[in-house]
Amino acid sequence: MKLSQSRRGFLLAVLAGACLLPSISTAATTVVGSGPDSSFLVLESPNLGVRTYEIHYTYNSGASQDGYFLLSQVLASDTSITTSLINYGTVPAPNYIVDAMTFNSVTETSVSVSPYVPYWSHWVSGGQAGFPSASPVASGTWGFGSGISSPYRLIEPGSWDALFYSNGSTQPSVSPIPETSSALLGVIGSFVIFRRRRNA
């Protein structure tokens, strides 16, 4: 069955809308800072709920930012949240781990006795992470982090970090949408416009 031009245009528009669906989870995102590049930080816990921040900055591969940078930007812009960090690294390479976080006058602290749960687990998607040094991390899925600061965590445009107060085996509830979904949406949207102009 051959589709008419108008029906084909409609189907392409529906497809473009479908590509937008995965990014709906970031609709309530709080935007922090300025700059052409952005990475995301998710804070999640039973009492905190889920808060997603899109942090804007200027990316410089010669002086890469880390997960600590993302957290510090959020804390500077949202004074209702405070944190306590533990440094498991050495000078000049600190390895910051979140020990406690306070929000709405509720403090959740990582349990320091066996079985050490719940605690503020660190999750990553995109960029680089690992111990004793960072290596590339796949985008679009969550992986376990090794500390929020360089050299154990390096962010890149479109990367995601999450601090999740849990047993450490459950992934954050927010999906780390890679930037390619937005790029694909733009390509499809351009194609729809091109087809309409051509048929006008």
Side-chain angles (χ1 to χ4, degrees), residues 51-175:
R51 298 171 70 88
T52 304
Y53 297 86
E54 180 178 353
I55 297 94
H56 284 255
Y57 58 95
T58 300
Y59 179 67
N60 180 347
S61 59
S64 300
Q65 300 290 2
D66 56 12
Y68 178 71
F69 164 78
L70 298 180
L71 180 60
S72 64
Q73 298 302 300
V74 167
L75 297 178
S77 68
D78 191 342
T79 56
S80 67
I81 298 176
T82 60
T83 61
S84 172
L85 304 175
I86 296 177
N87 180 12
Y88 283 102
T90 58
V91 176
N95 188 16
Y96 293 124
I97 306 289
V98 173
D99 180 51
M101 188 175 299
T102 301
F103 175 68
N104 283 346
S105 301
V106 175
T107 300
E108 291 177 315
T109 304
S110 297
V111 174
S112 59
V113 295
S114 182
Y116 305 104
V117 293
Y119 70 103
W120 284 101
S121 58
H122 179 219
W123 297 82
V124 296
S125 178
Q128 299 181 43
F131 183 86
S133 61
S135 57
V137 175
S139 296
T141 58
W142 287 116
F144 206 68
S146 303
I148 64 174
S149 49
S150 173
Y152 313 104
R153 175 56 175 157
L154 300 173
I155 64 169
E156 293 175 0
S159 63
W160 289 70
D161 283 63
L163 296 169
F164 187 15
Y165 190 70
S166 64
N167 61 9
S169 64
T170 305
Q171 293 186 357
S173 61
V174 176
S175 297

Side-chain angles (χ1 to χ4, degrees), residues 3-30:
L3 294 174
S4 68
Q5 294 291 338
S6 60
R7 285 189 178 176
R8 272 189 284 192
F10 173 75
L11 288 175
L12 286 172
V14 169
L15 181 58
C19 290
L20 183 61
L21 287 176
S23 62
I24 287 177
S25 63
T26 64
T29 298
T30 300

